[in-house]
Amino acid sequence: MSVKGLEKIVAAHSLFAGLGGGFLELVAGCARNVRFEAGQYLFHEGEIASEIYLIREGSVALEISAPGQGCMTFMSAGPDDVVGLSWIVPPYHWTFDTRAQEDTRAISLDAICLRTKCDADPALGYEVMKRFAPTIVARLHSTRLQLLDLYGTHS
Amino acid sequence: MAHIPDPHLSDPMVPVLARVTNRVEEIPGVVTFEINAPQWQGFAPGQFNMLSLFGVGEIPISISGPSFDSTTIIHTIRDVGAVSGAMATLEPGAMLGMRGPYGTAWPVEQARGRDVVVVAGGLGLAPVRPILYHLITNRANFGRVTLLYGARSPDEILFRNELSKWRAQLDMSVEVTVDHADATWRGHVGVVTTLFKGADFDPAKTTAFVCGPEIMMRFGANALTDAGVAPEDIHLSMERNMQCAIGLCGHCQIGPFFVCKDGPVFNWAQMKPLMAIKEL
Ligand SMILES: Cc1cc2nc3c(=O)[nH]c(=O)nc-3n(C[C@H](O)[C@H](O)[C@H](O)COP(=O)(O)OP(=O)(O)OC[C@H]3O[C@@H](n4cnc5c(N)ncnc54)[C@H](O)[C@@H]3O)c2cc1C
Ligand code: FES
């Protein structure tokens, strides 16, 4: 797909909505379309977090496995969600597995490409961080609520 | 304003003898009962009864059936302790004490012509079910109708068959999420507030009904005000320990309110300042 086509798709995702033309071009320069079949893993825990996924269609399950307990899905992500925050902080490793729950289409952003551009242009870096921060905070809030086990019999 | 029934009793403190006519185990530890009681003349969505087992105790339980059926009383009870646990074992034919209905109602009719968002968590789906029956029966009177329901895990989803039926109806949106799941679950995973992102409603013309554990209601109500819904248009059902249920003993007090008499349904403008006080 052309860079212009990718720019349009990136701009349509709420994470980058309203991003200025110059920045949008830089971000879209790291983007490509990807597709996963139901059951296919996008990545596994421990691997290098080299990509950020902007989900367009379908849904994915973020999973953690515990010995003796099997795999537990702690979050799902669907259209207009973002998967991939581990690329922001060293050592840039995934801390969970992610599996497509159904056929899923996404934009993959090359994390090394984006990080390099952010390092080279702090204004872009700040803009990108401002856009990721609400997702990070929302995930933290959700985790806190899940930890409270609100619907358990003791609550 | 819709009529809110008073207790159908000559003395509101004296229970009548009611008979269990049907029992359905919804999920482990949660049972729905159909009950017949003398003098019963119906209720408004959101009201509750005081149910008692002689020698065990008495507890407040919301009515979870349709308010247009003025003969059968439906309660959904989760076994959490002495009284609810003993009640959960009752079989058809068993007798229990009942007085009610008590309390304020969900202001469903105030939502006429508006979008309606119902947010429920865990067993909180039971007290809002009468709203859903009302909305479905009078569907043309309301704008977009959305139910956002959060459960602990797929095994703990309440009223699963009805949720599927309502979702299939196409004239309302039903979204379900669980806090965690195994790989066989293909649905949404995350706390109930994460469902707001995909919900389609006009905040300026929305009436919301929220029911579940108090923390969930707090976060749910805040997410609704963040989306632009007015605090006066967000209604929640509060729970406090109760004894008299008629505003005499003070057991159920929250700030200036008695939950049994002034509630259990309050709006967020009333509750937000009180929920911020940790000791209440
Ligand atoms: C207006 C109102 C409507 C209610 N509607 C329903 C309903 O439709 N279905 C239903 O199952 N319950 C409902 N409840 C809650 C129900 O009244 C309590 O679960 C019950 O009083 C517990 O009594 P118990 O003797 O079984 O448990 P207790 O021995 O009193 O308590 C045992 C354990 O359960 C916990 N517990 C007590 N109350 C609650 C509660 N409200 N929620 C969660 N945990 C609790 C206690 O902290 C304790 O750890 C409602 C409460 C109110 C005030
Ligand atoms: S229960 Fe007695 S005042 Fe409310």
Side-chain angles (χ1 to χ4, degrees):
Chain A
M1 177 180 274
S2 71
V3 177
K4 283 283 162 223
L6 283 170
E7 262 180 40
K8 250 190 172 161
I9 300 172
V10 171
H13 195 281
S14 62
L15 185 71
F16 290 114
L19 190 67
F23 286 164
L24 185 61
E25 206 175 304
L26 286 169
V27 172
C30 301
R32 70 191 170 96
N33 265 306
V34 288
R35 208 179 254 278
F36 301 93
E37 283 172 21
Q40 195 182 345
Y41 277 83
L42 283 65
F43 53 80
H44 287 98
E45 181 182 336
E47 291 173 359
I48 292 174
S50 55
E51 290 184 279
I52 303 147
Y53 297 97
L54 312 181
I55 309 293
R56 299 179 62 198
E57 256 179 53
S59 66
V60 299
L62 281 56
E63 299 174 339
I64 288 188
S65 33
Q69 290 181 35
C71 257
M72 189 193 75
T73 303
F74 62 92
M75 193 191 126
S76 60
D80 209 42
D81 284 333
V82 57
V83 177
L85 305 174
S86 305
W87 70 281
I88 299 172
V89 279
Y92 313 120
H93 284 156
W94 295 116
T95 52
F96 50 87
D97 302 335
T98 292
R99 174 181 50 82
Q101 286 181 309
E102 54 190 307
D103 290 350
T104 298
R105 291 198 309 141
I107 287 286
S108 158
L109 297 173
D110 180 329
I112 297 166
C113 163
L114 189 60
R115 225 168 31 228
T116 308
K117 287 181 180 176
C118 288
D119 286 344
D121 182 348
L124 171 68
Y126 181 59
E127 191 59 46
V128 169
M129 287 309 138
K130 267 201 309 192
R131 284 158 185 277
F132 272 90
T135 305
I136 298 170
V137 172
R139 300 265 161 95
L140 185 63
H141 284 320
S142 293
T143 307
R144 222 178 265 147
L145 286 180
Q146 280 168 313
L147 278 174
L148 288 174
D149 192 19
L150 292 180
Y151 312 126
T153 41
H154 61 274
S155 55
Chain B
M1 195 168 148
H3 170 66
I4 301 176
D6 288 324
H8 317 307
L9 305 164
S10 40
D11 180 341
M13 287 296 289
V14 180
V16 294
L17 264 184
R19 183 185 298 277
V20 173
T21 53
N22 195 22
R23 155 189 224 279
V24 175
E25 177 145 357
E26 304 283 355
I27 52 175
V30 178
V31 182
T32 294
F33 293 102
E34 280 180 26
I35 294 169
N36 269 334
Q39 301 166 40
W40 182 255
Q41 291 158 36
F43 73 104
Q47 289 195 292
F48 65 95
N49 283 322
M50 294 298 285
L51 302 182
S52 51
L53 283 179
F54 304 104
V56 187
E58 186 180 49
I59 54 174
I61 298 290
S62 300
I63 305 163
S64 69
S67 54
F68 49 77
D69 178 352
S70 60
T71 53
T72 312
I73 309 159
I74 297 183
H75 284 295
T76 302
I77 302 179
R78 178 162 76 162
D79 168 5
V80 297
V83 185
S84 55
M87 271 176 198
T89 64
L90 295 180
E91 293 291 339
M95 303 300 285
L96 73 167
M98 198 204 87
R99 53 192 183 97
Y102 296 113
T104 53
W106 297 108
V108 189
E109 277 307 305
Q110 275 178 33
R112 246 175 199 261
R114 297 164 62 84
D115 290 348
V116 179
V117 178
V118 179
V119 186
L123 197 75
L125 189 56
V128 296
R129 192 167 66 160
I131 305 178
L132 294 157
Y133 290 138
H134 182 92
L135 295 172
I136 291 163
T137 313
N138 302 280
R139 187 62 193 87
N141 296 344
F142 301 92
R144 282 164 287 194
V145 173
T146 305
L147 168 64
L148 308 177
Y149 174 55
R152 192 175 187 222
S153 67
D155 299 341
E156 293 173 62
I157 294 174
L158 201 59
F159 308 141
R160 202 181 249 270
N161 292 342
E162 270 181 315
L163 287 169
S164 307
K165 204 172 94 191
W166 295 336
R167 179 178 265 170
Q169 252 173 245
L170 299 177
D171 61 357
M172 66 187 278
S173 162
V174 176
E175 297 300 331
V176 177
T177 186
V178 296
D179 273 0
H180 50 80
D182 67 16
T184 56
W185 171 250
R186 300 275 299 269
H188 198 282
V189 182
V191 293
V192 71
T193 45
T194 58
L195 294 176
F196 280 80
K197 191 176 172 186
D200 184 19
F201 57 90
D202 176 354
K205 292 188 194 134
T206 291
T207 300
F209 303 105
V210 186
C211 193
E214 205 161 303
I215 304 177
M216 172 255 149
M217 292 201 284
R218 211 163 77 207
F219 282 90
N222 280 329
L224 284 159
T225 50
D226 288 350
V229 181
E232 292 76 13
D233 292 329
I234 301 169
H235 305 274
L236 20 137
S237 182
M238 298 297 295
E239 285 192 11
R240 282 296 181 271
N241 282 340
M242 288 186 184
Q243 272 195 4
C244 70
I246 52 172
L248 291 179
C249 72
H251 264 85
C252 63
Q253 195 166 359
I254 309 182
F257 301 116
F258 287 156
V259 172
C260 64
K261 193 162 87 33
D262 306 316
V265 176
F266 295 94
N267 72 41
W268 187 227
Q270 294 170 302
M271 278 304 117
K272 185 173 180 170
L274 298 174
M275 278 204 195
I277 304 170
K278 289 189 177 56
E279 291 75 22
L280 282 181

